[in-house]
Amino acid sequence: MKPLSGDFKRASRRLGFVLIMSVILLGQGVSRASGNTSMMPVTCKVMPTLEASFPESLDFGDVAPTRDPDGSYVISDTQVVKIWSNTEWALTMRSDSADGRMTKWTGDGYSSETLTFPLEWQLNGEGEFMRIEGDDISVVQGQSPTDKYGTALRLLFRQLITYNDVPLLDPATFYRIEVTFTAIQVY
Amino acid sequence: MSEKHRFPVLAMIIVLISLPALSRSAHALPNAMSHRNISMRVSPTYIVAEVCDGDFIGPIKVSNTGSLPLDLQGFISEGGHDKNGIPIFSDPSGNTLKCGVFLTLEPTEFRLMPGESRWIKVRAHVSDTFSGGAYPIIVFQGQPAKEMHSRELLTSAQVGVLTLITVTSRRKQDSIYASPNIEYVALSQDPVDKSLIVSAICENQGNIHTTLSGTAVIRSYLGQPASSAKLTPAVCLPGHKRVITARFKPFTLNKGIYIAEVLVNSEGNTHPSIPVAFQVAENGMISAIHMDLAHP
């Protein structure tokens, strides 16, 4: 190995000295700067939040029975319930009629006249139609938190009309039922 | 286009236009649809608070996020849950102190135009002698502001707010405690990846809610640990039952007899379950489960 020259050694010493001084001066500068600053903690807390959109009403219109029971069903178009939630959630549904049958509405209140069969519902076009009840029934439960697009639940309602159902001739009266949807987060 | 081809082309166009209409269900009514929606946002929907008589909790912000003016009403239901933590509503509790705590809303009825929001104050009223947990559910019900007598099927929209309220007594003899009791342990296995799921049904026999957590452990029959997995934490109200589960990552269990045990943690104490013995066949699947080791 070639021995190092005296100039090179001197230059190395100078460079080392300059580096050490730079570190010391920078360190002092940093400590002086931090002495003049203060930390501002910025915090927030995201609250559990639920947003829901429900169909406002549904009108089956003028309906008529037929001899064929399958042909006597009046089926709604798809009704969409949409939920946005940042924790697990569930949706229940109930009617104001204990047995789920539409009842004659006189404008002031219900009378005793009811349709023969209850209103039925189906979720997302899957499974059997189920009758609606006066107690809360689970539409979905244990649903994961949604993204910003939410989760859409597609409901169909159907009503069987038979020749046993009494026609209502007074234009001010009709068969009516009230459906209550409840969206809630889970424990 | 020649005269000869004009008619078949026209007929084809008419058929193509008519196809969607023809393919519709004969009974799906075009007028049986809703054009308007009730939309509302509620925040927070879960409130945990320790209160004294007269304290406010919340407040809760209710917003009309739809295009219809809404009439809103707030009321209080008695809370509770099923084994999966799904809230169970009971009748509105009214302003009674039968549970030691009742809540009042200020205001209880209000109207929100589209885009409007309102902060609702919630005041807790506590009886002098009560200590423990109370779990009322606050429900906001929204309906379109106008009467809709022409409709056959009306909907009401409700969004619930769960509350976990703790009242600490000043009297030393009134203790607040949660007491989880493991009633049952069940085993199941995924037939595809053979992973095990251990579930425990716990009842909280105390007077305050608790968060159940812990581990499920699988040991060989000789007592050597084979694997363990954390239970998914879950809130359990007093007097209610809750299922908590642990899913083991897929691992190979050799043929033999094993023991599964659940250790539930609550309030710093660990509560072990009765061990459950199960037999694994050569293919790695559970072939038999024995629930009671005391009576083989």
Side-chain angles (χ1 to χ4, degrees), chain A residues 11-12 30 101 130 134 143 164 174:
Chain A
S12 299
V30 167
R101 292 190 293 171
M130 288 175 286
Q143 296 291 295
N164 292 329
F174 42 84

XYZ file of all heavy atoms in Angstrom, chain A residues 11-12 30 101 130 134 143 164 174:
69
model
N -5.077 17.998 4.903
C -6.399 18.282 4.316
C -7.483 17.481 5.030
O -8.574 17.999 5.304
C -6.385 17.927 2.822
N -7.156 16.241 5.377
C -8.145 15.407 6.073
C -8.460 15.978 7.441
O -9.619 16.007 7.872
C -7.607 13.976 6.238
O -7.367 13.421 4.982
N -30.425 24.255 16.174
C -31.675 23.492 16.333
C -32.238 23.685 17.721
O -33.428 23.938 17.907
C -31.424 21.987 16.038
C -32.605 21.155 16.495
C -31.169 21.788 14.558
N -102.450 -6.692 7.994
C -103.469 -6.519 6.939
C -103.846 -5.048 6.780
O -104.007 -4.323 7.760
C -104.703 -7.353 7.274
C -104.418 -8.848 7.186
C -105.672 -9.666 7.277
N -106.305 -9.582 8.580
C -107.504 -10.083 8.854
N -108.192 -10.702 7.902
N -108.004 -9.969 10.056
N -92.384 -12.615 2.873
C -92.787 -12.802 4.266
C -93.814 -11.749 4.654
O -93.763 -10.630 4.139
C -91.579 -12.689 5.193
C -90.658 -13.891 5.089
S -89.175 -13.688 6.069
C -88.281 -12.512 5.100
N -96.963 -6.611 13.320
C -97.028 -5.462 14.221
C -95.810 -5.338 15.111
O -95.542 -4.268 15.659
N -74.834 -5.808 10.106
C -74.245 -5.334 8.851
C -72.960 -4.553 9.129
O -72.892 -3.778 10.074
C -75.227 -4.415 8.120
C -76.502 -5.127 7.674
C -76.241 -6.124 6.567
O -75.853 -5.783 5.472
N -76.449 -7.395 6.883
N -112.968 -11.954 -1.870
C -113.502 -11.717 -0.514
C -113.272 -10.284 -0.045
O -113.860 -9.854 0.943
C -112.812 -12.653 0.493
C -113.197 -14.090 0.262
O -114.312 -14.371 -0.178
N -112.274 -14.998 0.522
N -109.943 4.289 1.479
C -109.034 3.326 0.841
C -108.455 2.414 1.917
O -108.580 2.686 3.114
C -107.914 4.035 0.074
C -107.323 5.212 0.801
C -106.325 5.023 1.737
C -107.782 6.508 0.569
C -105.782 6.095 2.411
C -107.245 7.586 1.253
C -106.243 7.381 2.181
